[in-house]
Structures are given as structure tokens and as C-alpha cells.
Amino acid sequence: MTSRALWSAISQLHSGVYFAPDSKARYESVGLKGYWMGYFASRSAALGTPRPRLVVATFHGFAPRLVERALPDAWRLADRDRVLEQRYALARDLLEGVAEGATALAPRVRSVLAGVDWAGKPLAAAHAELPASDDPVIDFWQSVTALREYRGDCHVAVLTAAGLSGAAANALAESTGWLRHADQRTMRGWTEEEWAEAIAGLVTRGWLEPDGTATETGRAARAQLEDATDRVVAAGLDREAASRLVTLEAELVDLAGQWADDHPALAGRPLRSS
């Protein structure tokens, strides 16, 4: 089984595009308005020009109203292909310091995608279906992104099977220390009432105290959700893909470390409830 360190490295190499200081300006240059419109449009553009319900379903952790403020208006204001161009340009610029390593690893990471079972992983499959780039650095990032969303789709499946809503999943992750954000409720767009309802449900399960702090049972349950995600991830990789990932692990972890050294303000900041 591939390690958490590998998936953390993959997530880190992918997610800088969401926190880059100029991301808002880049997307505004093609017609979008504000940070969240740029985020939802750029991340969901692999799906085409999706409407809010599809993005709520595939992203899982965001309040529907936050998505609805951005979509479908984004597709009226900006061309989907130009949004993708800005997304790739952001990734290319952010990976410039590790471009040599990314170029060397690009074909090997791309080869992993051939051994992934995409069934039940819609967001990952959409990214894997995007045309490969002639630029090996962008191609590397595209492949890493498909793998990152693959684990994300697996995690969403585990969360929903456990009966956790987007708000509840975020509240549990925040209370058990799995997230780095100080106010996940506000960031994901949930109201105080929705957050309180989510916490109340987790209290009923015995996973949280009434004040929102995690119980021992809750911490164990959250760890079990990650373990279950690991199993679902492993089940969707054929033997060759799993073997290729194992051989890539040390190099990807090292590359992510180099990238983090170049971008300390952007490193280690996941956006999803994982």
C-alpha cells in the first residue's frame, strides 16, 4: 500500500495553485470575479462548464450557497478554455524552481494513470481525460492533479458512506486536528446554525463534546476514515500502477520538499476535508 507521505506530497505539489498570491488577478484577467469564482471555475473546468449541484456533489465540503455565488455565472463571464490556460500557467510558474525534477518524472507519473479504476471517481476521471500538455512541467502537474483528485474522490465516498455531510466532515476534521485552518466554518461557507447542527449530530454519535472538542471516540473515528480512504485508494489501483507509485514515492516526496522550501507560505495547506 502506498504511504500517506506520498499522497501528502502529491496534494502539496497540486494545491499551490489555489493559494498563489496572484491567482485571483489571473482569473480576473479572463473575466472572472473574485477569489471563489476563480477557485470553483478553475477546479471544476475539467468537468466542462458544470452547474452548482455537480460541483457541490464532487467537491463535497463546501456550502451550496458558496458555490452558487460563483456558478454558473463564471461560464457566462469567462471562456472555459481560457480559465484552464490560466490554471496551467499558475502551475507552471509555481513549479519553475523544481522544473527539472518535474520534467524527469512527468512520463512516469503519467503512466500511473493507465492503471487507475476511475469508476466512482468523477472529478479525478475528468482531470485524467484532459489532453496531455506538450510542456512536461504542466503534464507532470496534470497527472499529479488527477491523482490528488482520485484520493479526494475516494475520501468523499468514505465520508458519505459514513453519513457525514459537508459541514459535519469539516467540523470533525477541524476538531481532530486534520485541518490547518483556524475557521473552517467560515472558509467553507457554512452558517453558524448549519455548523451547530453538524456539531450536534457528531455529539449524538459520541464523536464530539457539546463544546465542539473531539472525544477519544471521535479521534479514533476520524483516523478510521483515513484508514478506510487508504483502502479504497489501494483497491482502485492495479498492480502495475501501485508498483509505479511505490517506486515514485521517494522522488515525489523529495520534490514536494524542495517545492515547499521555495514556497513556505503556500506549502501544506489542503483545501478539502481530508
Side-chain angles (χ1 to χ4, degrees), residues 127-258:
H127 281 87
E129 280 290 303
L130 290 171
S133 174
D134 292 333
D135 182 331
V137 177
I138 295 176
D139 186 62
F140 168 82
W141 184 82
Q142 286 179 300
S143 299
V144 161
T145 294
L147 290 172
R148 186 263 173 266
E149 298 294 14
Y150 168 72
R151 192 180 197 281
D153 285 340
C154 292
H155 191 58
V156 170
V158 169
L159 294 175
T160 54
L164 292 173
S165 67
N170 277 279
L172 179 64
E174 182 180 78
S175 68
T176 51
W178 284 84
L179 296 172
R180 300 170 188 265
H181 303 294
D183 188 0
Q184 194 73 358
R185 179 190 70 77
T186 300
M187 182 180 180
R188 296 302 184 89
W190 301 104
T191 66
E192 291 184 1
E193 292 76 14
E194 289 166 336
W195 198 252
E197 183 179 354
I199 288 175
L202 293 168
V203 169
T204 299
R205 291 183 183 225
W207 291 2
L208 296 186
E209 301 288 357
D211 65 359
T213 58
T215 63
E216 286 294 329
T217 301
R219 283 189 285 274
R222 187 60 184 75
Q224 288 167 8
L225 291 170
E226 287 296 323
D227 291 342
T229 300
D230 290 340
R231 291 192 294 272
V232 175
V233 166
L237 300 173
D238 70 18
R239 185 174 299 177
E240 190 168 354
S243 177
R244 286 173 175 170
L245 274 177
V246 168
T247 65
L248 279 163
E249 179 170 342
E251 291 164 284
L252 285 172
V253 169
D254 183 61
L255 197 71
Q258 293 175 45

Side-chain angles (χ1 to χ4, degrees), residues 4-122:
R4 297 262 175 89
L6 169 68
W7 293 103
S8 179
I10 286 171
S11 181
Q12 188 155 267
L13 289 164
H14 154 76
S15 63
V17 293
Y18 305 124
F19 301 105
D22 61 339
S23 64
K24 178 173 173 285
R26 297 260 194 140
Y27 294 123
E28 287 180 342
S29 74
V30 296
L32 300 179
K33 297 180 179 179
Y35 172 80
W36 284 114
M37 185 175 281
Y39 170 74
F40 287 119
S42 64
R43 190 175 168 207
S44 70
L47 295 162
T49 55
R51 295 185 64 83
R53 255 181 221 177
L54 179 55
V55 173
V56 169
T58 52
F59 288 21
H60 182 260
F62 293 90
R65 73 180 63 81
L66 191 62
V67 182
E68 290 162 1
R69 290 184 197 134
L71 303 176
D73 285 352
W75 311 125
R76 174 178 56 82
L77 296 171
D79 179 77
R80 177 251 192 182
D81 288 341
R82 294 193 69 196
V83 172
L84 280 172
E85 287 171 5
Q86 290 301 318
R87 180 167 162 88
Y88 296 152
L90 269 169
R92 183 62 172 84
D93 290 349
L94 286 167
L95 291 170
E96 183 60 38
V98 294
E100 183 177 350
T103 296
L105 292 177
R108 293 170 59 198
V109 180
R110 171 68 64 176
S111 71
V112 174
L113 304 186
V116 176
D117 180 358
W118 303 107
K121 295 95 178 179

